[in-house]
Amino acid sequence: MNVAQQQPKTHQANDFDAVIIGAGFAGMYMLHSLREAGFSAKVFEAAGDVGGVWYHNRYPGARCDTESMVYTYLFSEKLYKDWTWTSRYPDQPEILSYLNYVADNFDLRKDIQLNTRIKAAHYDEANENWQIYINDGTRVTAKYFIPAVGGLSATNVPNFKGLNSFKGEWYHTGNWPKDKVDFKGKRVGVIGTGSSGVQIIPIIAEEADHLTVFQRTAQYMIPARNHQLDPEIIQQTKADYKNIKQKVRNSNTGDLRKTMNCSVWEITGEERLQELEAAWERGGPLPSFTDVFTDERANETIGEFLRSKISEIVHDPKIAEKLMPNYYYGTKRQVLNTNYLETYNRNNVTLADVKKAPIEEITPKGLRTTEKEYELDILVFATGYDAITGPLFKIDIRGRNGISLKEKWNNGGQISTYLGLATSGFPNLFLITGPESPAGFTNNVAVIESNVEWIIECVKYLREHDLNTIEPEQEAEAAWSKSCTELANSTLFVKTESWWTGANIPGKPRGLPLYLGGYKKYLQICKEIVDKEYEGFSLLAGKNQKVNS
Ligand code: NA7
């Protein structure tokens, strides 16, 4: 820790100790924790209600791909026991109900302002506070600024020529309307076969007159085998709360998935096949071997297994061939599915390969590829997100000397944070599931909880020690970023075009700005830094600000 003494300053009172953007899992827990610790805090949320991505992702079939017993807050034993999840993988309505329940139960709504978008947040060096500009032209000030905007909230609608000319309806899965979209009797097109596309496609196929799927990259498919939870299992899970929490914190992925503590080559081919078949029957993510994301040949053993399943399920060999992925297994986020491959056995479904014949334009009648025009009544963009940095860059965030976050990170080309929690030049700004955190590779709720808890300890420390600001030292930040980059570059993940690497957004700088060292290790590092009194951070002391509370 580097503590510098400053001349005492006279500050005007801030409106709040902390301003948070976003009322999803992160923003709501942050608000609750700040209030419990005696800080004043306000959440601004652009949507009409709480829920974050689960408010917007209300497309048919939307479901979490992390199991409900861990895709849930673990900070409160009472909450864990009072709420009952009904299925293995919770669907969007259930998650949204849960988040509403949390908002009511902890009386959070009184400090959440809905339908309010923050357009800018500028650090004021003279007052050592954040000036936060709201879209209605007003401004609030806060000592701490916490954009809890998530990594997957800035939707990506590709800039296809002619979209405005389309006479039908079009929707993005990540911004789905509240009213039911009626696919009955309609010719529907879906662009995209990531998690969202794979969830909505089987449901539209059942309802629509005809569905055309525009696939750019065939994905590896793993069955979710979602099911209702047995009341006995629910009781056992609740009773096992403490153990589950501990296991989550001791895991690499923030959940309870099975991991193989051995290389692909340490067991026989037969044993490996047995493991994979068992996992296929169980549903959910395949168990990870130690070398599967570093050794191309090890990776291929899993890829081969999953490709063989496509041939087994899809009747038409020509369609099966189009569905065969040819990237390193798991280097795009694993997609769990329910009846996705089976959907291609229906006679009202067409699979268009838009890598071979790319989309040229959207026309008044539908969509034209280089091969032909498809007439459509409804077009669904399941085209994902400008991930990780996209949501932060939508806000004009400026730190010391008026430098914007976008400029500092060279538009995403040189991201640098310390622990994914903070970035130099932006005092008292805290990130949750930020770039260079383990988010994206870890159960997001687990990362959120540990990030929030770290931030709370930090701001309490600042208060106890009469410190005004905290920000990373440049050397410590550079070392963290370097370690993230080196870890990423030692894996196969960087060899694939994915939202993790920024390749899904034209012109976005490539890289993999996430921490791949595992959740458990990340928690250890975060704790060590606190134990060493915020090693690598610069803490500035001065006269304590007077705040409203
Ligand atoms: P993803 O996983 O980013 O998937 C987006 C899909 O859209 C993917 O198949 C893309 O193909 C496709 N896409 C994107 N742009 C285009 C264009 N211009 N033309 C054709 N196809 C395109 O987003 P999701 O919403 O499904 O899931 C995001 C995460 O949410 C998921 O990983 C879970 O963590 C939850 P590509 O593969 O890039 O060739």
Side-chain angles (χ1 to χ4, degrees), residues 43 109-110 132 172 206 262 267 280 296 307 312 316 338 382 385 390 399 432 438 450 452 466 510:
V43 172
R109 293 186 194 277
K110 64 175 188 238
I132 292 138
H172 189 287
E206 279 181 14
C262 68
I267 55 176
W280 181 268
E296 294 182 13
R307 286 196 298 271
E312 280 174 27
D316 182 335
T338 302
Y385 298 87
I432 302 172
S450 47
V452 167
D466 209 12
R510 301 291 172 92

Side-chain angles (χ1 to χ4, degrees), residues 54 57 59 63-65 152 156-160 172-174 190-199 214-219 327 332-335 354-355 358-359 381-387 440 444 496-500 503-506:
W54 295 109
N57 273 265
Y59 61 88
R63 190 177 286 283
C64 185
D65 57 9
L152 289 167
N156 164 42
V157 178
N159 190 18
F160 292 123
H172 189 287
T173 47
V190 174
I191 306 176
T193 54
S195 301
S196 306
V198 165
Q199 289 183 338
F214 299 97
Q215 170 193 272
R216 187 164 69 180
T217 307
Q219 302 256 22
Y327 60 92
K332 279 174 176 291
R333 205 180 134 114
Q334 291 191 16
V335 176
V354 296
K355 188 159 262 169
I359 298 170
F381 288 89
T383 43
Y385 298 87
D386 181 356
N444 244 29
T496 294
E497 305 212 320
S498 68
W499 63 255
W500 282 326
N504 63 327
I505 303 295

Side-chain angles (χ1 to χ4, degrees), residues 513-533:
L514 292 168
Y515 175 73
L516 297 191
Y519 183 56
K520 180 182 174 184
K521 177 88 181 152
Y522 174 75
L523 294 186
Q524 270 167 9
I525 296 170
C526 289
K527 182 175 180 312
E528 275 164 27
I529 285 166
V530 174
D531 291 347
K532 290 182 190 161
E533 298 209 49

